[in-house]
Amino acid sequence: MNRKDFYNILTISLGAGLFFYTFFDSEKTVQNFFFTLGISLFYTVVLSTGNHQINTFLNRKFSWVENTRQRTIFGIIATVLGNVIMVLFCNYIVFIVIKNEDSSKFFSDTMNFVNWFMINFALMISAVLHAKGFIAELKKSTRKEVVEQKLIAKSANAQFESLKNQLDPHFLFNSLNVLSSLIDENPDQAQHFTASMSKIYRYVLEQKDKELVTVEEELNFARTYCDLLKTRFEDSVNFEFKVNENDMKSFVVPLSLQLLLENCIKHNYATAQKPLNIKIYSEQGFLLIENNLQAREQMKESAGIGLANIVQRYSLLTKQNVFIEKSEDFFRVKIPILTQKITAMTTQPTQESMAYERASKRVKELKGFYGNLISYCLVIPFLIFVNLYTVPQYHWFWWPMLGWGIGLASHALQVFGIGRSWEEKQIQKILEKEKHLKN
């Protein structure tokens, strides 16, 4: 027991002792005050220690966050049974052992009322402690989740920025290689290529900091870049664009086509007799770049920066995969066409977003239920005391106790009952149906 727990026990004992001394002790003497305070301390130590052991055992078996339903159900059962046993034990020690009352009267009408009242009082304190434990675990879990999400976000942002920063030197290096070849082959075309390259590089600088661009923007840039490649290779390379108009306003990662076109040129030979045919088209939610396979012999293994860059950037933006298909006759890359322009840190799948919303709603429902339960445990014993203290011959407290109890039971069924499972199953069915339609 730490110092905080010790002070809490003393505080509860003092409060309970003052309460019982003020309202139940007929002789207001110093001796009776300290006797009542000692009895209150005895009750507090037994009940607090017992409830602490119950909570510790349940916390080891069931997590408040991951097994909320099981933790609540077993918590209610164990708390009720445990407090009934502990209260009866304390009452027996106080009334039979200490006060030397007749043991045969332990379950008389008067003692039954005392037992029942003390059990409710103990359950009220236990409900407060359980709610406090739940909120503490929830805050702990939330803080841990926030820290993890921040680390993930920082890591993803850093990785995304690193990938985007690869584009400048990568594009510039490949363009200078093309320019170097043209200077020897055709100086006039090299001059034209230099002017056009400056325009393209301006686009690279403008788009590289964006996470997504429209398919239309990317295609316009790709056409300009293909014109430059056509300038160098002439009839050795052919380009064909067949993209659906419906896909033009959707999104892809910027400079993806330029990187894939470079990949086609770099890994295939092209001659006038055997031209390299490159086709760009859309199909079933993907943008495809396909070329006839005319693999050239590589003097050294390629670094694979372009294709790897696209795959990694898409992995940070969406769970849709980039597909690479290769046969003896063709090489094809399929990049997803995204329908929503969202940032890298918010491009979570719809199912995960809805799961988070359901979890937030669940926490609110649980907090509402425990607030209702604590209010019930606080107010009903007070009404019983007022009723028996003022009009003991007429027990009107049964009406609010039963009415509110029915409402509390209904609330518990809404939070933990059959309706909740049915709702979660229906949500899961809808999510799976939408996922199937998208695929």
Side-chain angles (χ1 to χ4, degrees), residues 133-160:
F134 167 72
I135 294 174
E137 286 295 322
L138 181 63
K139 288 181 178 179
K140 181 180 178 181
S141 175
T142 303
R143 285 195 296 267
K144 181 179 178 182
E145 184 176 354
V146 168
V147 171
E148 290 177 351
Q149 291 301 321
K150 284 183 178 179
L151 292 175
I152 292 173
K154 287 181 180 179
S155 175
N157 272 326
Q159 186 179 0
F160 198 82

PDB file of all heavy atoms in Angstrom, residues 133-160:
ATOM      1  N   GLY A 133     -11.028   3.404 -12.036  1.00  0.00           N
ATOM      2  CA  GLY A 133     -10.055   2.518 -12.676  1.00  0.00           C
ATOM      3  C   GLY A 133     -10.241   2.454 -14.176  1.00  0.00           C
ATOM      4  O   GLY A 133      -9.263   2.438 -14.941  1.00  0.00           O
ATOM      5  N   PHE A 134     -11.503   2.408 -14.615  1.00  0.00           N
ATOM      6  CA  PHE A 134     -11.782   2.375 -16.051  1.00  0.00           C
ATOM      7  C   PHE A 134     -11.281   3.632 -16.741  1.00  0.00           C
ATOM      8  O   PHE A 134     -10.623   3.578 -17.787  1.00  0.00           O
ATOM      9  CB  PHE A 134     -13.283   2.217 -16.280  1.00  0.00           C
ATOM     10  CG  PHE A 134     -13.713   2.490 -17.695  1.00  0.00           C
ATOM     11  CD1 PHE A 134     -13.415   1.610 -18.713  1.00  0.00           C
ATOM     12  CD2 PHE A 134     -14.398   3.659 -18.001  1.00  0.00           C
ATOM     13  CE1 PHE A 134     -13.800   1.868 -20.021  1.00  0.00           C
ATOM     14  CE2 PHE A 134     -14.785   3.929 -19.294  1.00  0.00           C
ATOM     15  CZ  PHE A 134     -14.490   3.030 -20.311  1.00  0.00           C
ATOM     16  N   ILE A 135     -11.572   4.784 -16.143  1.00  0.00           N
ATOM     17  CA  ILE A 135     -11.135   6.058 -16.742  1.00  0.00           C
ATOM     18  C   ILE A 135      -9.615   6.156 -16.763  1.00  0.00           C
ATOM     19  O   ILE A 135      -9.021   6.632 -17.741  1.00  0.00           O
ATOM     20  CB  ILE A 135     -11.758   7.238 -15.969  1.00  0.00           C
ATOM     21  CG1 ILE A 135     -13.283   7.242 -16.149  1.00  0.00           C
ATOM     22  CG2 ILE A 135     -11.173   8.563 -16.436  1.00  0.00           C
ATOM     23  CD1 ILE A 135     -14.002   8.266 -15.307  1.00  0.00           C
ATOM     24  N   ALA A 136      -8.962   5.685 -15.688  1.00  0.00           N
ATOM     25  CA  ALA A 136      -7.493   5.709 -15.648  1.00  0.00           C
ATOM     26  C   ALA A 136      -6.892   4.841 -16.747  1.00  0.00           C
ATOM     27  O   ALA A 136      -5.944   5.248 -17.433  1.00  0.00           O
ATOM     28  CB  ALA A 136      -7.004   5.244 -14.273  1.00  0.00           C
ATOM     29  N   GLU A 137      -7.441   3.615 -16.918  1.00  0.00           N
ATOM     30  CA  GLU A 137      -6.942   2.736 -17.971  1.00  0.00           C
ATOM     31  C   GLU A 137      -7.210   3.320 -19.356  1.00  0.00           C
ATOM     32  O   GLU A 137      -6.389   3.203 -20.271  1.00  0.00           O
ATOM     33  CB  GLU A 137      -7.612   1.358 -17.855  1.00  0.00           C
ATOM     34  CG  GLU A 137      -7.097   0.516 -16.709  1.00  0.00           C
ATOM     35  CD  GLU A 137      -5.636   0.135 -16.892  1.00  0.00           C
ATOM     36  OE1 GLU A 137      -5.227  -0.142 -18.033  1.00  0.00           O
ATOM     37  OE2 GLU A 137      -4.915   0.137 -15.892  1.00  0.00           O
ATOM     38  N   LEU A 138      -8.373   3.958 -19.506  1.00  0.00           N
ATOM     39  CA  LEU A 138      -8.706   4.564 -20.790  1.00  0.00           C
ATOM     40  C   LEU A 138      -7.752   5.698 -21.122  1.00  0.00           C
ATOM     41  O   LEU A 138      -7.267   5.816 -22.258  1.00  0.00           O
ATOM     42  CB  LEU A 138     -10.149   5.069 -20.751  1.00  0.00           C
ATOM     43  CG  LEU A 138     -10.671   5.713 -22.038  1.00  0.00           C
ATOM     44  CD1 LEU A 138     -10.693   4.694 -23.170  1.00  0.00           C
ATOM     45  CD2 LEU A 138     -12.060   6.293 -21.812  1.00  0.00           C
ATOM     46  N   LYS A 139      -7.462   6.548 -20.128  1.00  0.00           N
ATOM     47  CA  LYS A 139      -6.512   7.643 -20.347  1.00  0.00           C
ATOM     48  C   LYS A 139      -5.122   7.111 -20.670  1.00  0.00           C
ATOM     49  O   LYS A 139      -4.441   7.627 -21.554  1.00  0.00           O
ATOM     50  CB  LYS A 139      -6.455   8.539 -19.115  1.00  0.00           C
ATOM     51  CG  LYS A 139      -7.692   9.396 -18.900  1.00  0.00           C
ATOM     52  CD  LYS A 139      -7.534  10.281 -17.673  1.00  0.00           C
ATOM     53  CE  LYS A 139      -8.750  11.178 -17.490  1.00  0.00           C
ATOM     54  NZ  LYS A 139      -8.617  12.036 -16.279  1.00  0.00           N
ATOM     55  N   LYS A 140      -4.714   6.059 -19.949  1.00  0.00           N
ATOM     56  CA  LYS A 140      -3.405   5.457 -20.192  1.00  0.00           C
ATOM     57  C   LYS A 140      -3.314   4.902 -21.603  1.00  0.00           C
ATOM     58  O   LYS A 140      -2.318   5.107 -22.318  1.00  0.00           O
ATOM     59  CB  LYS A 140      -3.157   4.358 -19.163  1.00  0.00           C
ATOM     60  CG  LYS A 140      -1.806   3.668 -19.303  1.00  0.00           C
ATOM     61  CD  LYS A 140      -1.658   2.596 -18.236  1.00  0.00           C
ATOM     62  CE  LYS A 140      -0.335   1.850 -18.395  1.00  0.00           C
ATOM     63  NZ  LYS A 140      -0.201   0.772 -17.367  1.00  0.00           N
ATOM     64  N   SER A 141      -4.363   4.193 -22.025  1.00  0.00           N
ATOM     65  CA  SER A 141      -4.386   3.624 -23.372  1.00  0.00           C
ATOM     66  C   SER A 141      -4.411   4.719 -24.431  1.00  0.00           C
ATOM     67  O   SER A 141      -3.744   4.618 -25.460  1.00  0.00           O
ATOM     68  CB  SER A 141      -5.604   2.710 -23.526  1.00  0.00           C
ATOM     69  OG  SER A 141      -5.721   2.230 -24.842  1.00  0.00           O
ATOM     70  N   THR A 142      -5.197   5.782 -24.162  1.00  0.00           N
ATOM     71  CA  THR A 142      -5.287   6.873 -25.124  1.00  0.00           C
ATOM     72  C   THR A 142      -3.949   7.578 -25.285  1.00  0.00           C
ATOM     73  O   THR A 142      -3.523   7.883 -26.403  1.00  0.00           O
ATOM     74  CB  THR A 142      -6.365   7.882 -24.674  1.00  0.00           C
ATOM     75  OG1 THR A 142      -7.610   7.200 -24.535  1.00  0.00           O
ATOM     76  CG2 THR A 142      -6.517   8.992 -25.704  1.00  0.00           C
ATOM     77  N   ARG A 143      -3.281   7.843 -24.156  1.00  0.00           N
ATOM     78  CA  ARG A 143      -1.963   8.482 -24.234  1.00  0.00           C
ATOM     79  C   ARG A 143      -0.979   7.618 -25.004  1.00  0.00           C
ATOM     80  O   ARG A 143      -0.202   8.112 -25.832  1.00  0.00           O
ATOM     81  CB  ARG A 143      -1.436   8.749 -22.819  1.00  0.00           C
ATOM     82  CG  ARG A 143      -2.110   9.918 -22.114  1.00  0.00           C
ATOM     83  CD  ARG A 143      -1.303  10.350 -20.906  1.00  0.00           C
ATOM     84  NE  ARG A 143      -1.239   9.305 -19.906  1.00  0.00           N
ATOM     85  CZ  ARG A 143      -2.082   9.184 -18.883  1.00  0.00           C
ATOM     86  NH1 ARG A 143      -3.053  10.067 -18.740  1.00  0.00           N
ATOM     87  NH2 ARG A 143      -1.953   8.203 -18.011  1.00  0.00           N
ATOM     88  N   LYS A 144      -1.014   6.307 -24.735  1.00  0.00           N
ATOM     89  CA  LYS A 144      -0.108   5.393 -25.443  1.00  0.00           C
ATOM     90  C   LYS A 144      -0.398   5.389 -26.934  1.00  0.00           C
ATOM     91  O   LYS A 144       0.522   5.428 -27.767  1.00  0.00           O
ATOM     92  CB  LYS A 144      -0.267   3.982 -24.866  1.00  0.00           C
ATOM     93  CG  LYS A 144       0.651   2.955 -25.508  1.00  0.00           C
ATOM     94  CD  LYS A 144       0.451   1.589 -24.873  1.00  0.00           C
ATOM     95  CE  LYS A 144       1.343   0.541 -25.542  1.00  0.00           C
ATOM     96  NZ  LYS A 144       1.124  -0.814 -24.954  1.00  0.00           N
ATOM     97  N   GLU A 145      -1.695   5.362 -27.281  1.00  0.00           N
ATOM     98  CA  GLU A 145      -2.076   5.348 -28.697  1.00  0.00           C
ATOM     99  C   GLU A 145      -1.681   6.643 -29.384  1.00  0.00           C
ATOM    100  O   GLU A 145      -1.218   6.640 -30.528  1.00  0.00           O
ATOM    101  CB  GLU A 145      -3.576   5.114 -28.828  1.00  0.00           C
ATOM    102  CG  GLU A 145      -4.047   4.976 -30.271  1.00  0.00           C
ATOM    103  CD  GLU A 145      -5.524   4.657 -30.358  1.00  0.00           C
ATOM    104  OE1 GLU A 145      -6.150   4.436 -29.303  1.00  0.00           O
ATOM    105  OE2 GLU A 145      -6.035   4.622 -31.483  1.00  0.00           O
ATOM    106  N   VAL A 146      -1.859   7.779 -28.686  1.00  0.00           N
ATOM    107  CA  VAL A 146      -1.488   9.075 -29.266  1.00  0.00           C
ATOM    108  C   VAL A 146       0.002   9.122 -29.530  1.00  0.00           C
ATOM    109  O   VAL A 146       0.455   9.581 -30.597  1.00  0.00           O
ATOM    110  CB  VAL A 146      -1.918  10.222 -28.331  1.00  0.00           C
ATOM    111  CG1 VAL A 146      -1.288  11.544 -28.769  1.00  0.00           C
ATOM    112  CG2 VAL A 146      -3.429  10.357 -28.325  1.00  0.00           C
ATOM    113  N   VAL A 147       0.802   8.644 -28.566  1.00  0.00           N
ATOM    114  CA  VAL A 147       2.260   8.634 -28.753  1.00  0.00           C
ATOM    115  C   VAL A 147       2.649   7.750 -29.928  1.00  0.00           C
ATOM    116  O   VAL A 147       3.490   8.127 -30.770  1.00  0.00           O
ATOM    117  CB  VAL A 147       2.955   8.144 -27.462  1.00  0.00           C
ATOM    118  CG1 VAL A 147       4.439   7.921 -27.709  1.00  0.00           C
ATOM    119  CG2 VAL A 147       2.762   9.165 -26.340  1.00  0.00           C
ATOM    120  N   GLU A 148       2.020   6.562 -30.018  1.00  0.00           N
ATOM    121  CA  GLU A 148       2.330   5.654 -31.127  1.00  0.00           C
ATOM    122  C   GLU A 148       1.957   6.275 -32.464  1.00  0.00           C
ATOM    123  O   GLU A 148       2.710   6.174 -33.441  1.00  0.00           O
ATOM    124  CB  GLU A 148       1.588   4.328 -30.929  1.00  0.00           C
ATOM    125  CG  GLU A 148       2.131   3.500 -29.773  1.00  0.00           C
ATOM    126  CD  GLU A 148       1.323   2.229 -29.562  1.00  0.00           C
ATOM    127  OE1 GLU A 148       0.256   2.095 -30.209  1.00  0.00           O
ATOM    128  OE2 GLU A 148       1.751   1.380 -28.761  1.00  0.00           O
ATOM    129  N   GLN A 149       0.775   6.919 -32.524  1.00  0.00           N
ATOM    130  CA  GLN A 149       0.343   7.540 -33.778  1.00  0.00           C
ATOM    131  C   GLN A 149       1.254   8.690 -34.163  1.00  0.00           C
ATOM    132  O   GLN A 149       1.538   8.904 -35.347  1.00  0.00           O
ATOM    133  CB  GLN A 149      -1.104   8.025 -33.651  1.00  0.00           C
ATOM    134  CG  GLN A 149      -2.131   6.916 -33.566  1.00  0.00           C
ATOM    135  CD  GLN A 149      -2.101   6.009 -34.787  1.00  0.00           C
ATOM    136  OE1 GLN A 149      -1.922   6.462 -35.919  1.00  0.00           O
ATOM    137  NE2 GLN A 149      -2.274   4.715 -34.562  1.00  0.00           N
ATOM    138  N   LYS A 150       1.726   9.459 -33.173  1.00  0.00           N
ATOM    139  CA  LYS A 150       2.649  10.551 -33.476  1.00  0.00           C
ATOM    140  C   LYS A 150       3.959  10.014 -34.044  1.00  0.00           C
ATOM    141  O   LYS A 150       4.510  10.561 -35.001  1.00  0.00           O
ATOM    142  CB  LYS A 150       2.920  11.368 -32.215  1.00  0.00           C
ATOM    143  CG  LYS A 150       1.774  12.291 -31.816  1.00  0.00           C
ATOM    144  CD  LYS A 150       2.150  13.117 -30.594  1.00  0.00           C
ATOM    145  CE  LYS A 150       1.020  14.082 -30.230  1.00  0.00           C
ATOM    146  NZ  LYS A 150       1.362  14.887 -29.030  1.00  0.00           N
ATOM    147  N   LEU A 151       4.452   8.911 -33.434  1.00  0.00           N
ATOM    148  CA  LEU A 151       5.691   8.313 -33.942  1.00  0.00           C
ATOM    149  C   LEU A 151       5.511   7.786 -35.357  1.00  0.00           C
ATOM    150  O   LEU A 151       6.381   7.954 -36.222  1.00  0.00           O
ATOM    151  CB  LEU A 151       6.139   7.188 -33.007  1.00  0.00           C
ATOM    152  CG  LEU A 151       6.615   7.612 -31.613  1.00  0.00           C
ATOM    153  CD1 LEU A 151       6.907   6.385 -30.760  1.00  0.00           C
ATOM    154  CD2 LEU A 151       7.853   8.485 -31.723  1.00  0.00           C
ATOM    155  N   ILE A 152       4.343   7.142 -35.591  1.00  0.00           N
ATOM    156  CA  ILE A 152       4.063   6.622 -36.928  1.00  0.00           C
ATOM    157  C   ILE A 152       3.969   7.760 -37.935  1.00  0.00           C
ATOM    158  O   ILE A 152       4.497   7.687 -39.049  1.00  0.00           O
ATOM    159  CB  ILE A 152       2.762   5.798 -36.917  1.00  0.00           C
ATOM    160  CG1 ILE A 152       2.959   4.521 -36.100  1.00  0.00           C
ATOM    161  CG2 ILE A 152       2.329   5.436 -38.340  1.00  0.00           C
ATOM    162  CD1 ILE A 152       1.681   3.733 -35.893  1.00  0.00           C
ATOM    163  N   ALA A 153       3.269   8.838 -37.538  1.00  0.00           N
ATOM    164  CA  ALA A 153       3.098   9.979 -38.436  1.00  0.00           C
ATOM    165  C   ALA A 153       4.435  10.635 -38.752  1.00  0.00           C
ATOM    166  O   ALA A 153       4.723  10.977 -39.907  1.00  0.00           O
ATOM    167  CB  ALA A 153       2.143  11.000 -37.804  1.00  0.00           C
ATOM    168  N   LYS A 154       5.276  10.812 -37.716  1.00  0.00           N
ATOM    169  CA  LYS A 154       6.586  11.427 -37.954  1.00  0.00           C
ATOM    170  C   LYS A 154       7.435  10.547 -38.859  1.00  0.00           C
ATOM    171  O   LYS A 154       8.110  11.034 -39.765  1.00  0.00           O
ATOM    172  CB  LYS A 154       7.294  11.645 -36.614  1.00  0.00           C
ATOM    173  CG  LYS A 154       6.699  12.781 -35.783  1.00  0.00           C
ATOM    174  CD  LYS A 154       7.459  12.955 -34.474  1.00  0.00           C
ATOM    175  CE  LYS A 154       6.860  14.087 -33.650  1.00  0.00           C
ATOM    176  NZ  LYS A 154       7.581  14.255 -32.357  1.00  0.00           N
ATOM    177  N   SER A 155       7.404   9.244 -38.604  1.00  0.00           N
ATOM    178  CA  SER A 155       8.184   8.325 -39.428  1.00  0.00           C
ATOM    179  C   SER A 155       7.701   8.327 -40.874  1.00  0.00           C
ATOM    180  O   SER A 155       8.503   8.359 -41.810  1.00  0.00           O
ATOM    181  CB  SER A 155       8.090   6.914 -38.850  1.00  0.00           C
ATOM    182  OG  SER A 155       8.744   5.982 -39.673  1.00  0.00           O
ATOM    183  N   ALA A 156       6.371   8.292 -41.057  1.00  0.00           N
ATOM    184  CA  ALA A 156       5.810   8.287 -42.411  1.00  0.00           C
ATOM    185  C   ALA A 156       6.098   9.591 -43.135  1.00  0.00           C
ATOM    186  O   ALA A 156       6.430   9.601 -44.325  1.00  0.00           O
ATOM    187  CB  ALA A 156       4.301   8.041 -42.344  1.00  0.00           C
ATOM    188  N   ASN A 157       5.977  10.711 -42.405  1.00  0.00           N
ATOM    189  CA  ASN A 157       6.284  12.005 -43.027  1.00  0.00           C
ATOM    190  C   ASN A 157       7.736  12.086 -43.458  1.00  0.00           C
ATOM    191  O   ASN A 157       8.055  12.560 -44.549  1.00  0.00           O
ATOM    192  CB  ASN A 157       5.963  13.144 -42.047  1.00  0.00           C
ATOM    193  CG  ASN A 157       4.526  13.597 -42.148  1.00  0.00           C
ATOM    194  OD1 ASN A 157       3.948  13.584 -43.219  1.00  0.00           O
ATOM    195  ND2 ASN A 157       3.944  13.995 -41.025  1.00  0.00           N
ATOM    196  N   ALA A 158       8.619  11.632 -42.568  1.00  0.00           N
ATOM    197  CA  ALA A 158      10.041  11.667 -42.901  1.00  0.00           C
ATOM    198  C   ALA A 158      10.342  10.781 -44.110  1.00  0.00           C
ATOM    199  O   ALA A 158      11.103  11.160 -45.006  1.00  0.00           O
ATOM    200  CB  ALA A 158      10.859  11.215 -41.697  1.00  0.00           C
ATOM    201  N   GLN A 159       9.723   9.598 -44.131  1.00  0.00           N
ATOM    202  CA  GLN A 159       9.943   8.680 -45.258  1.00  0.00           C
ATOM    203  C   GLN A 159       9.391   9.271 -46.547  1.00  0.00           C
ATOM    204  O   GLN A 159      10.010   9.177 -47.604  1.00  0.00           O
ATOM    205  CB  GLN A 159       9.278   7.338 -44.950  1.00  0.00           C
ATOM    206  CG  GLN A 159       9.567   6.273 -45.996  1.00  0.00           C
ATOM    207  CD  GLN A 159       8.916   4.946 -45.641  1.00  0.00           C
ATOM    208  OE1 GLN A 159       8.262   4.825 -44.625  1.00  0.00           O
ATOM    209  NE2 GLN A 159       9.097   3.955 -46.492  1.00  0.00           N
ATOM    210  N   PHE A 160       8.203   9.902 -46.449  1.00  0.00           N
ATOM    211  CA  PHE A 160       7.587  10.476 -47.637  1.00  0.00           C
ATOM    212  C   PHE A 160       8.426  11.622 -48.197  1.00  0.00           C
ATOM    213  O   PHE A 160       8.634  11.734 -49.403  1.00  0.00           O
ATOM    214  CB  PHE A 160       6.185  10.979 -47.290  1.00  0.00           C
ATOM    215  CG  PHE A 160       5.303  11.201 -48.490  1.00  0.00           C
ATOM    216  CD1 PHE A 160       4.639  10.141 -49.079  1.00  0.00           C
ATOM    217  CD2 PHE A 160       5.142  12.458 -49.042  1.00  0.00           C
ATOM    218  CE1 PHE A 160       3.832  10.333 -50.178  1.00  0.00           C
ATOM    219  CE2 PHE A 160       4.340  12.660 -50.141  1.00  0.00           C
ATOM    220  CZ  PHE A 160       3.687  11.597 -50.710  1.00  0.00           C
TER     221      PHE A 160
END
